[in-house]
Amino acid sequence: MGWAIAIHGGAGAILQSLTDSHRAAVEQALPELTEVGASMLQNGATALDVVEKATIALEECELFQAGRGSVLTAAGTHELEASIMDGQMGKAGAVCGLRTVRNPIELARQVLERTDHAFVGGSGAEDLAKAWELDRVPNEWFTTERRLDELRRHLSDPDASRPHPATVGAVACDEKGFVAAATSTGGTTGKLPGRIGDAPLINAGTWADSRVAVSCTGIGERFILAGAARMVAARMELAGDSIEEAAKRVMASMPPESGGMIAVDTAGKMTLPFTSQGMYRGWANSDGDSGIGIGP
Ligand code: ASP
């Protein structure tokens, strides 16, 4: 069977604020980040391992808004969230309200593996990271000059600041035909402390089952109301949609410029639709089809 991977670094009003140097940095990073998962799949890794490692690489890259380089809340702090789901086991792990966990997706994976729960938040999640000796950092470690600027602009004129892409994610189909999905984020610039978006919500921002794996990005509240990630799987199962039709229809069911999603099915077919100006994305498969994109 063939393998396939797609990654995203967020969807939104990317293009008007994209400087030449930022574009060059992103265009260099996206193929390297896609290759993290592609080389693992080539060597027989499972889809679940691949989406975790690919998402850790995205969290560690401060060009994208998860882990270091995450956006700030209205209070000037970081509250991180992530989720991961394995289609073969039908199991998920999700975390939210994190302040010190360097790689939220790693904690989500540990919740999947080591607990009977699917979702752990706040101080309880922090305590698990401590007990399991995951890497922890001071909250300010996540801050970059770029995100501080964005928060200042947002606070001085909340109406003028268009939504910024603020999430990363990965979906993969391994050589056995199993799929998995992962999503990690700092949320949205200037969010209320305590606000939880779609990224850590299984069904909304992340889904994987015996058909398809999906990771979403965009205006989280809309993806929550649409149950977007799960709806792609439901359309395939109940309406007989192809993966492209299902993802496109779910995106079209939300208001314009809501964001985007990446999806892969168990035959390794990928789709990466978005209704916003752009979505940072990369993909590769065992047939040698690979690429990256920013705008349409
Ligand atoms: N979906 C994320 C959230 O609402 C943000 C994004 O993807 O840009 O928290």
Short mmCIF file of all heavy atoms in Angstrom, two decimals, residues 59 65-83 95-105 107 119-123 125-126 137-143 147 151 166-168 183-200 221:
data_model
loop_
_atom_site.label_atom_id
_atom_site.label_comp_id
_atom_site.label_asym_id
_atom_site.label_seq_id
_atom_site.Cartn_x
_atom_site.Cartn_y
_atom_site.Cartn_z
N GLU A 59 5.55 22.51 15.90
CA GLU A 59 5.51 23.28 17.16
C GLU A 59 6.86 23.95 17.43
O GLU A 59 6.92 25.07 17.93
CB GLU A 59 5.18 22.35 18.34
CG GLU A 59 3.74 21.88 18.40
CD GLU A 59 3.47 20.86 19.51
OE1 GLU A 59 4.43 20.26 20.03
OE2 GLU A 59 2.30 20.65 19.83
N GLN A 65 2.28 28.97 14.34
CA GLN A 65 1.75 29.38 15.64
C GLN A 65 1.22 28.23 16.48
O GLN A 65 0.02 28.02 16.63
CB GLN A 65 0.70 30.45 15.41
CG GLN A 65 1.34 31.63 14.68
CD GLN A 65 0.35 32.74 14.46
OE1 GLN A 65 -0.19 33.29 15.39
NE2 GLN A 65 0.10 33.06 13.21
N ALA A 66 2.17 27.50 17.01
CA ALA A 66 1.89 26.45 17.99
C ALA A 66 3.22 26.26 18.70
O ALA A 66 4.26 26.55 18.13
CB ALA A 66 1.47 25.16 17.31
N GLY A 67 3.19 25.82 19.94
CA GLY A 67 4.45 25.76 20.68
C GLY A 67 5.09 27.13 20.69
O GLY A 67 4.41 28.16 20.78
N ARG A 68 6.45 27.19 20.55
CA ARG A 68 7.10 28.49 20.51
C ARG A 68 6.63 29.27 19.27
O ARG A 68 6.55 28.72 18.18
CB ARG A 68 8.63 28.31 20.47
CG ARG A 68 9.34 29.62 20.54
CD ARG A 68 10.80 29.48 20.87
NE ARG A 68 11.51 30.66 20.42
CZ ARG A 68 11.55 31.82 21.07
NH1 ARG A 68 10.95 31.94 22.24
NH2 ARG A 68 12.19 32.85 20.58
N GLY A 69 6.30 30.55 19.50
CA GLY A 69 5.73 31.34 18.40
C GLY A 69 4.21 31.33 18.42
O GLY A 69 3.57 31.82 17.50
N SER A 70 3.62 30.79 19.50
CA SER A 70 2.16 30.80 19.64
C SER A 70 1.65 32.22 19.87
O SER A 70 2.36 33.06 20.43
CB SER A 70 1.73 29.97 20.85
OG SER A 70 1.74 28.62 20.54
N VAL A 71 0.42 32.45 19.50
CA VAL A 71 -0.21 33.76 19.73
C VAL A 71 -0.48 33.94 21.23
O VAL A 71 -0.43 32.99 22.02
CB VAL A 71 -1.51 33.90 18.94
CG1 VAL A 71 -1.23 33.85 17.45
CG2 VAL A 71 -2.51 32.83 19.33
N LEU A 72 -0.77 35.20 21.59
CA LEU A 72 -0.99 35.55 23.00
C LEU A 72 -2.47 35.80 23.29
O LEU A 72 -3.20 36.28 22.42
CB LEU A 72 -0.18 36.81 23.33
CG LEU A 72 1.34 36.58 23.30
CD1 LEU A 72 2.05 37.75 22.64
CD2 LEU A 72 1.86 36.37 24.72
N THR A 73 -2.86 35.53 24.52
CA THR A 73 -4.23 35.86 24.96
C THR A 73 -4.31 37.37 25.21
O THR A 73 -3.30 38.07 25.22
CB THR A 73 -4.58 35.15 26.28
OG1 THR A 73 -3.74 35.72 27.31
CG2 THR A 73 -4.35 33.66 26.22
N ALA A 74 -5.53 37.85 25.48
CA ALA A 74 -5.72 39.27 25.78
C ALA A 74 -4.92 39.67 27.02
O ALA A 74 -4.58 40.84 27.21
CB ALA A 74 -7.20 39.55 25.98
N ALA A 75 -4.61 38.70 27.88
CA ALA A 75 -3.84 38.99 29.10
C ALA A 75 -2.34 38.90 28.85
O ALA A 75 -1.54 39.04 29.79
CB ALA A 75 -4.25 38.01 30.20
N GLY A 76 -1.94 38.64 27.60
CA GLY A 76 -0.51 38.59 27.27
C GLY A 76 0.16 37.30 27.69
O GLY A 76 1.38 37.26 27.88
N THR A 77 -0.62 36.25 27.83
CA THR A 77 -0.04 34.94 28.20
C THR A 77 -0.33 33.92 27.09
O THR A 77 -1.07 34.22 26.15
CB THR A 77 -0.68 34.42 29.50
OG1 THR A 77 -2.10 34.39 29.30
CG2 THR A 77 -0.36 35.33 30.68
N HIS A 78 0.25 32.74 27.24
CA HIS A 78 -0.01 31.68 26.27
C HIS A 78 -0.83 30.58 26.92
O HIS A 78 -0.53 30.17 28.05
CB HIS A 78 1.31 31.07 25.78
CG HIS A 78 2.18 32.05 25.09
ND1 HIS A 78 2.03 32.39 23.77
CD2 HIS A 78 3.22 32.79 25.54
CE1 HIS A 78 2.93 33.29 23.43
NE2 HIS A 78 3.67 33.55 24.49
N GLU A 79 -1.85 30.12 26.22
CA GLU A 79 -2.63 28.95 26.66
C GLU A 79 -2.72 28.01 25.46
O GLU A 79 -3.40 28.30 24.48
CB GLU A 79 -4.03 29.38 27.11
CG GLU A 79 -4.00 30.24 28.37
CD GLU A 79 -5.38 30.66 28.83
OE1 GLU A 79 -6.39 30.23 28.24
OE2 GLU A 79 -5.44 31.42 29.81
N LEU A 80 -1.98 26.92 25.55
CA LEU A 80 -1.82 26.05 24.39
C LEU A 80 -2.77 24.85 24.47
O LEU A 80 -3.16 24.42 25.56
CB LEU A 80 -0.37 25.56 24.32
CG LEU A 80 0.71 26.63 24.43
CD1 LEU A 80 2.09 26.00 24.25
CD2 LEU A 80 0.51 27.73 23.42
N GLU A 81 -3.08 24.31 23.29
CA GLU A 81 -3.99 23.16 23.23
C GLU A 81 -3.66 22.28 22.04
O GLU A 81 -3.12 22.77 21.04
CB GLU A 81 -5.44 23.65 23.17
CG GLU A 81 -5.69 24.78 22.19
CD GLU A 81 -7.00 25.53 22.43
OE1 GLU A 81 -7.35 25.80 23.59
OE2 GLU A 81 -7.66 25.85 21.44
N ALA A 82 -3.97 20.99 22.15
CA ALA A 82 -3.63 20.06 21.08
C ALA A 82 -4.49 18.80 21.18
O ALA A 82 -5.02 18.48 22.25
CB ALA A 82 -2.15 19.67 21.18
N SER A 83 -4.59 18.09 20.05
CA SER A 83 -5.27 16.80 20.08
C SER A 83 -4.69 15.89 19.02
O SER A 83 -4.13 16.33 18.02
CB SER A 83 -6.78 16.97 19.87
OG SER A 83 -7.05 17.51 18.60
N VAL A 95 -5.61 17.90 24.97
CA VAL A 95 -5.21 18.71 26.14
C VAL A 95 -5.50 20.18 25.84
O VAL A 95 -5.44 20.61 24.70
CB VAL A 95 -3.71 18.54 26.46
CG1 VAL A 95 -3.44 17.16 27.05
CG2 VAL A 95 -2.83 18.75 25.23
N CYS A 96 -5.81 20.95 26.90
CA CYS A 96 -6.01 22.39 26.69
C CYS A 96 -5.60 23.15 27.95
O CYS A 96 -5.37 22.54 29.00
CB CYS A 96 -7.46 22.69 26.32
SG CYS A 96 -8.60 22.45 27.68
N GLY A 97 -5.50 24.47 27.79
CA GLY A 97 -5.16 25.31 28.94
C GLY A 97 -3.75 25.10 29.44
O GLY A 97 -3.45 25.30 30.61
N LEU A 98 -2.83 24.71 28.52
CA LEU A 98 -1.44 24.44 28.94
C LEU A 98 -0.64 25.75 28.98
O LEU A 98 -0.76 26.58 28.08
CB LEU A 98 -0.77 23.48 27.96
CG LEU A 98 -1.46 22.14 27.72
CD1 LEU A 98 -0.65 21.31 26.73
CD2 LEU A 98 -1.66 21.39 29.03
N ARG A 99 0.19 25.89 30.00
CA ARG A 99 1.01 27.10 30.11
C ARG A 99 2.51 26.82 30.04
O ARG A 99 3.29 27.71 29.76
CB ARG A 99 0.71 27.80 31.44
CG ARG A 99 -0.67 28.38 31.45
CD ARG A 99 -1.12 28.78 32.83
NE ARG A 99 -2.38 29.47 32.72
CZ ARG A 99 -2.52 30.78 32.53
NH1 ARG A 99 -1.46 31.55 32.43
NH2 ARG A 99 -3.72 31.31 32.43
N THR A 100 2.90 25.59 30.34
CA THR A 100 4.35 25.33 30.44
C THR A 100 4.81 24.11 29.64
O THR A 100 5.98 23.76 29.70
CB THR A 100 4.76 25.09 31.91
OG1 THR A 100 4.18 23.84 32.33
CG2 THR A 100 4.29 26.20 32.82
N VAL A 101 3.90 23.44 28.95
CA VAL A 101 4.28 22.20 28.27
C VAL A 101 4.84 22.56 26.89
O VAL A 101 4.14 23.12 26.05
CB VAL A 101 3.08 21.25 28.14
CG1 VAL A 101 3.50 19.96 27.44
CG2 VAL A 101 2.50 20.96 29.52
N ARG A 102 6.12 22.27 26.69
CA ARG A 102 6.80 22.70 25.47
C ARG A 102 6.15 22.14 24.20
O ARG A 102 5.98 22.84 23.22
CB ARG A 102 8.27 22.27 25.56
CG ARG A 102 9.04 22.60 24.31
CD ARG A 102 10.52 22.43 24.54
NE ARG A 102 11.24 22.60 23.29
CZ ARG A 102 12.49 22.99 23.22
NH1 ARG A 102 13.18 23.22 24.31
NH2 ARG A 102 13.08 23.12 22.05
N ASN A 103 5.80 20.86 24.22
CA ASN A 103 5.19 20.24 23.05
C ASN A 103 3.82 19.66 23.43
O ASN A 103 3.72 18.48 23.78
CB ASN A 103 6.10 19.16 22.48
CG ASN A 103 7.39 19.74 21.93
OD1 ASN A 103 8.47 19.50 22.46
ND2 ASN A 103 7.29 20.54 20.90
N PRO A 104 2.79 20.46 23.30
CA PRO A 104 1.44 20.01 23.69
C PRO A 104 1.01 18.70 23.02
O PRO A 104 0.33 17.88 23.64
CB PRO A 104 0.55 21.18 23.25
CG PRO A 104 1.45 22.38 23.33
CD PRO A 104 2.80 21.89 22.91
N ILE A 105 1.45 18.48 21.77
CA ILE A 105 0.99 17.27 21.08
C ILE A 105 1.57 16.01 21.74
O ILE A 105 0.95 14.94 21.73
CB ILE A 105 1.32 17.32 19.57
CG1 ILE A 105 0.44 16.35 18.79
CG2 ILE A 105 2.78 17.03 19.29
CD1 ILE A 105 -1.01 16.69 18.76
N LEU A 107 2.03 15.66 24.95
CA LEU A 107 1.17 15.38 26.11
C LEU A 107 -0.15 14.75 25.65
O LEU A 107 -0.64 13.80 26.27
CB LEU A 107 0.92 16.67 26.91
CG LEU A 107 0.07 16.51 28.17
CD1 LEU A 107 0.70 15.52 29.16
CD2 LEU A 107 -0.14 17.87 28.86
N PHE A 119 -9.66 13.61 27.09
CA PHE A 119 -9.44 15.06 27.12
C PHE A 119 -9.11 15.48 28.54
O PHE A 119 -9.91 15.24 29.45
CB PHE A 119 -10.73 15.74 26.64
CG PHE A 119 -10.59 17.18 26.21
CD1 PHE A 119 -9.36 17.82 26.18
CD2 PHE A 119 -11.71 17.90 25.83
CE1 PHE A 119 -9.25 19.15 25.78
CE2 PHE A 119 -11.62 19.22 25.43
CZ PHE A 119 -10.38 19.85 25.41
N VAL A 120 -7.95 16.10 28.75
CA VAL A 120 -7.56 16.58 30.07
C VAL A 120 -7.13 18.05 29.95
O VAL A 120 -6.38 18.39 29.03
CB VAL A 120 -6.38 15.75 30.65
CG1 VAL A 120 -6.05 16.22 32.07
CG2 VAL A 120 -6.70 14.27 30.65
N GLY A 121 -7.60 18.91 30.85
CA GLY A 121 -7.29 20.33 30.70
C GLY A 121 -6.70 20.96 31.95
O GLY A 121 -6.73 20.38 33.04
N GLY A 122 -6.11 22.15 31.76
CA GLY A 122 -5.67 23.01 32.85
C GLY A 122 -4.63 22.40 33.75
O GLY A 122 -3.71 21.71 33.29
N SER A 123 -4.79 22.64 35.06
CA SER A 123 -3.74 22.24 36.00
C SER A 123 -3.57 20.72 36.05
O SER A 123 -2.46 20.22 36.26
CB SER A 123 -4.03 22.79 37.40
OG SER A 123 -5.27 22.30 37.83
N ALA A 125 -3.77 18.70 33.52
CA ALA A 125 -2.93 18.35 32.37
C ALA A 125 -1.47 18.73 32.64
O ALA A 125 -0.54 17.98 32.33
CB ALA A 125 -3.45 19.05 31.12
N GLU A 126 -1.29 19.91 33.24
CA GLU A 126 0.07 20.34 33.60
C GLU A 126 0.71 19.33 34.57
O GLU A 126 1.89 19.00 34.45
CB GLU A 126 0.03 21.72 34.27
CG GLU A 126 -0.33 22.85 33.34
CD GLU A 126 0.87 23.38 32.56
OE1 GLU A 126 2.02 23.14 32.96
OE2 GLU A 126 0.64 23.99 31.50
N VAL A 137 8.63 24.54 30.08
CA VAL A 137 9.34 25.81 29.90
C VAL A 137 8.50 26.92 30.54
O VAL A 137 7.30 26.77 30.72
CB VAL A 137 9.52 26.13 28.39
CG1 VAL A 137 10.50 25.17 27.73
CG2 VAL A 137 8.18 26.10 27.66
N PRO A 138 9.15 28.07 30.90
CA PRO A 138 8.35 29.19 31.41
C PRO A 138 7.41 29.68 30.31
O PRO A 138 7.73 29.58 29.13
CB PRO A 138 9.40 30.28 31.72
CG PRO A 138 10.73 29.63 31.61
CD PRO A 138 10.59 28.36 30.82
N ASN A 139 6.27 30.23 30.71
CA ASN A 139 5.26 30.67 29.74
C ASN A 139 5.86 31.66 28.71
O ASN A 139 5.54 31.60 27.52
CB ASN A 139 4.07 31.29 30.48
CG ASN A 139 2.84 31.43 29.60
OD1 ASN A 139 2.48 32.53 29.21
ND2 ASN A 139 2.23 30.32 29.24
N GLU A 140 6.77 32.54 29.18
CA GLU A 140 7.34 33.55 28.27
C GLU A 140 8.20 32.92 27.17
O GLU A 140 8.49 33.57 26.17
CB GLU A 140 8.25 34.56 29.00
CG GLU A 140 7.73 35.15 30.28
CD GLU A 140 7.86 34.17 31.45
OE1 GLU A 140 8.97 33.85 31.89
OE2 GLU A 140 6.78 33.70 31.90
N TRP A 141 8.64 31.69 27.37
CA TRP A 141 9.47 31.02 26.37
C TRP A 141 8.75 30.94 25.02
O TRP A 141 9.38 30.96 23.96
CB TRP A 141 9.84 29.62 26.86
CG TRP A 141 10.72 28.86 25.91
CD1 TRP A 141 12.09 28.92 25.81
CD2 TRP A 141 10.29 27.91 24.91
NE1 TRP A 141 12.52 28.08 24.81
CE2 TRP A 141 11.45 27.45 24.25
CE3 TRP A 141 9.04 27.42 24.52
CZ2 TRP A 141 11.39 26.51 23.22
CZ3 TRP A 141 8.99 26.49 23.49
CH2 TRP A 141 10.15 26.04 22.85
N PHE A 142 7.40 30.86 25.06
CA PHE A 142 6.63 30.72 23.82
C PHE A 142 6.53 32.03 23.04
O PHE A 142 6.16 32.04 21.88
CB PHE A 142 5.21 30.21 24.13
CG PHE A 142 5.17 28.85 24.76
CD1 PHE A 142 4.85 28.68 26.11
CD2 PHE A 142 5.46 27.72 24.01
CE1 PHE A 142 4.81 27.42 26.68
CE2 PHE A 142 5.42 26.45 24.58
CZ PHE A 142 5.10 26.30 25.92
N THR A 143 6.85 33.16 23.69
CA THR A 143 6.62 34.48 23.09
C THR A 143 7.69 34.84 22.07
O THR A 143 8.88 34.65 22.31
CB THR A 143 6.63 35.57 24.19
OG1 THR A 143 5.72 35.18 25.22
CG2 THR A 143 6.21 36.92 23.64
N ARG A 147 4.64 37.89 17.61
CA ARG A 147 3.33 37.68 18.26
C ARG A 147 2.98 38.84 19.19
O ARG A 147 1.81 39.20 19.34
CB ARG A 147 3.30 36.37 19.04
CG ARG A 147 3.60 35.15 18.22
CD ARG A 147 2.66 34.97 17.04
NE ARG A 147 3.18 33.95 16.16
CZ ARG A 147 3.29 34.03 14.84
NH1 ARG A 147 2.85 35.09 14.20
NH2 ARG A 147 3.80 33.05 14.15
N LEU A 151 -0.37 41.13 18.97
CA LEU A 151 -1.27 41.37 20.10
C LEU A 151 -1.49 42.88 20.29
O LEU A 151 -2.61 43.32 20.47
CB LEU A 151 -0.72 40.75 21.39
CG LEU A 151 -1.62 40.97 22.62
CD1 LEU A 151 -2.97 40.26 22.44
CD2 LEU A 151 -0.95 40.49 23.90
N ALA A 166 -3.19 30.35 13.10
CA ALA A 166 -2.65 30.13 14.44
C ALA A 166 -2.68 28.67 14.84
O ALA A 166 -2.91 28.36 16.00
CB ALA A 166 -3.44 30.96 15.44
N THR A 167 -2.45 27.80 13.91
CA THR A 167 -2.55 26.38 14.24
C THR A 167 -1.63 25.58 13.33
O THR A 167 -1.33 26.03 12.22
CB THR A 167 -4.01 25.91 14.04
OG1 THR A 167 -4.83 26.59 14.98
CG2 THR A 167 -4.18 24.43 14.23
N VAL A 168 -1.19 24.44 13.80
CA VAL A 168 -0.47 23.51 12.92
C VAL A 168 -1.15 22.15 13.00
O VAL A 168 -1.89 21.87 13.96
CB VAL A 168 1.02 23.36 13.33
CG1 VAL A 168 1.71 24.71 13.37
CG2 VAL A 168 1.17 22.62 14.66
N THR A 183 -3.41 17.98 15.74
CA THR A 183 -3.59 19.44 15.61
C THR A 183 -3.06 20.09 16.88
O THR A 183 -3.29 19.57 17.98
CB THR A 183 -5.09 19.78 15.42
OG1 THR A 183 -5.66 18.93 14.43
CG2 THR A 183 -5.28 21.24 15.02
N SER A 184 -2.36 21.23 16.74
CA SER A 184 -1.80 21.91 17.92
C SER A 184 -1.85 23.41 17.69
O SER A 184 -1.63 23.87 16.57
CB SER A 184 -0.36 21.45 18.14
OG SER A 184 0.21 22.09 19.27
N THR A 185 -2.12 24.18 18.74
CA THR A 185 -2.32 25.62 18.53
C THR A 185 -2.11 26.44 19.80
O THR A 185 -2.17 25.92 20.92
CB THR A 185 -3.76 25.87 18.02
OG1 THR A 185 -3.87 27.22 17.57
CG2 THR A 185 -4.79 25.65 19.09
N GLY A 186 -1.88 27.74 19.58
CA GLY A 186 -1.94 28.69 20.67
C GLY A 186 -3.30 29.36 20.72
O GLY A 186 -3.58 30.18 21.59
N GLY A 187 -4.17 29.04 19.75
CA GLY A 187 -5.51 29.63 19.71
C GLY A 187 -5.54 30.85 18.80
O GLY A 187 -4.92 30.84 17.75
N THR A 188 -6.26 31.88 19.21
CA THR A 188 -6.37 33.08 18.38
C THR A 188 -5.81 34.28 19.15
O THR A 188 -5.94 34.36 20.37
CB THR A 188 -7.84 33.36 18.00
OG1 THR A 188 -8.63 33.32 19.19
CG2 THR A 188 -8.36 32.32 17.04
N THR A 189 -5.21 35.22 18.39
CA THR A 189 -4.60 36.41 18.99
C THR A 189 -5.63 37.16 19.83
O THR A 189 -6.73 37.46 19.35
CB THR A 189 -4.10 37.36 17.89
OG1 THR A 189 -3.15 36.65 17.11
CG2 THR A 189 -3.45 38.60 18.48
N GLY A 190 -5.26 37.48 21.07
CA GLY A 190 -6.13 38.28 21.93
C GLY A 190 -7.35 37.53 22.44
O GLY A 190 -8.32 38.13 22.91
N LYS A 191 -7.33 36.19 22.38
CA LYS A 191 -8.48 35.42 22.89
C LYS A 191 -8.65 35.67 24.38
O LYS A 191 -7.68 36.00 25.09
CB LYS A 191 -8.28 33.92 22.61
CG LYS A 191 -7.15 33.27 23.41
CD LYS A 191 -6.98 31.78 23.06
CE LYS A 191 -5.86 31.14 23.88
NZ LYS A 191 -5.64 29.72 23.55
N LEU A 192 -9.87 35.49 24.88
CA LEU A 192 -10.10 35.60 26.32
C LEU A 192 -9.37 34.48 27.02
O LEU A 192 -9.39 33.34 26.54
CB LEU A 192 -11.60 35.46 26.62
CG LEU A 192 -12.51 36.59 26.17
CD1 LEU A 192 -13.96 36.21 26.48
CD2 LEU A 192 -12.13 37.88 26.89
N PRO A 193 -8.72 34.78 28.15
CA PRO A 193 -8.14 33.67 28.92
C PRO A 193 -9.23 32.63 29.20
O PRO A 193 -10.35 32.99 29.54
CB PRO A 193 -7.65 34.36 30.20
CG PRO A 193 -7.39 35.77 29.77
CD PRO A 193 -8.45 36.09 28.75
N GLY A 194 -8.89 31.37 29.00
CA GLY A 194 -9.88 30.31 29.22
C GLY A 194 -10.63 29.89 27.98
O GLY A 194 -11.29 28.86 27.97
N ARG A 195 -10.53 30.70 26.91
CA ARG A 195 -11.23 30.32 25.66
C ARG A 195 -10.61 29.04 25.09
O ARG A 195 -9.39 28.88 25.06
CB ARG A 195 -11.10 31.46 24.65
CG ARG A 195 -11.74 31.20 23.28
CD ARG A 195 -10.71 30.73 22.28
NE ARG A 195 -11.24 30.69 20.91
CZ ARG A 195 -10.60 30.15 19.88
NH1 ARG A 195 -9.41 29.63 20.06
NH2 ARG A 195 -11.13 30.14 18.69
N ILE A 196 -11.45 28.13 24.67
CA ILE A 196 -10.96 26.90 24.06
C ILE A 196 -11.46 26.86 22.62
O ILE A 196 -12.64 27.13 22.37
CB ILE A 196 -11.45 25.66 24.84
CG1 ILE A 196 -10.85 25.69 26.25
CG2 ILE A 196 -11.05 24.37 24.14
CD1 ILE A 196 -11.50 24.74 27.22
N GLY A 197 -10.59 26.57 21.69
CA GLY A 197 -10.97 26.55 20.27
C GLY A 197 -11.29 25.16 19.78
O GLY A 197 -11.56 24.24 20.57
N ASP A 198 -11.23 25.00 18.47
CA ASP A 198 -11.57 23.70 17.88
C ASP A 198 -10.41 22.71 17.90
O ASP A 198 -10.62 21.50 17.87
CB ASP A 198 -12.01 23.89 16.42
CG ASP A 198 -10.93 24.55 15.57
OD1 ASP A 198 -10.24 25.47 16.09
OD2 ASP A 198 -10.75 24.16 14.41
N ALA A 199 -9.17 23.24 17.97
CA ALA A 199 -8.00 22.37 17.79
C ALA A 199 -7.93 21.21 18.79
O ALA A 199 -7.58 20.09 18.40
CB ALA A 199 -6.72 23.19 17.84
N PRO A 200 -8.25 21.42 20.07
CA PRO A 200 -8.18 20.28 20.99
C PRO A 200 -9.48 19.47 21.01
O PRO A 200 -9.57 18.50 21.78
CB PRO A 200 -7.95 20.96 22.34
CG PRO A 200 -8.72 22.22 22.23
CD PRO A 200 -8.58 22.66 20.78
N GLU A 221 -14.46 28.81 16.41
CA GLU A 221 -15.87 28.76 16.82
C GLU A 221 -16.73 28.18 15.69
O GLU A 221 -17.68 27.43 15.93
CB GLU A 221 -16.35 30.16 17.21
CG GLU A 221 -15.83 30.66 18.56
CD GLU A 221 -14.32 30.95 18.60
OE1 GLU A 221 -13.69 31.04 17.52
OE2 GLU A 221 -13.77 31.07 19.72
#
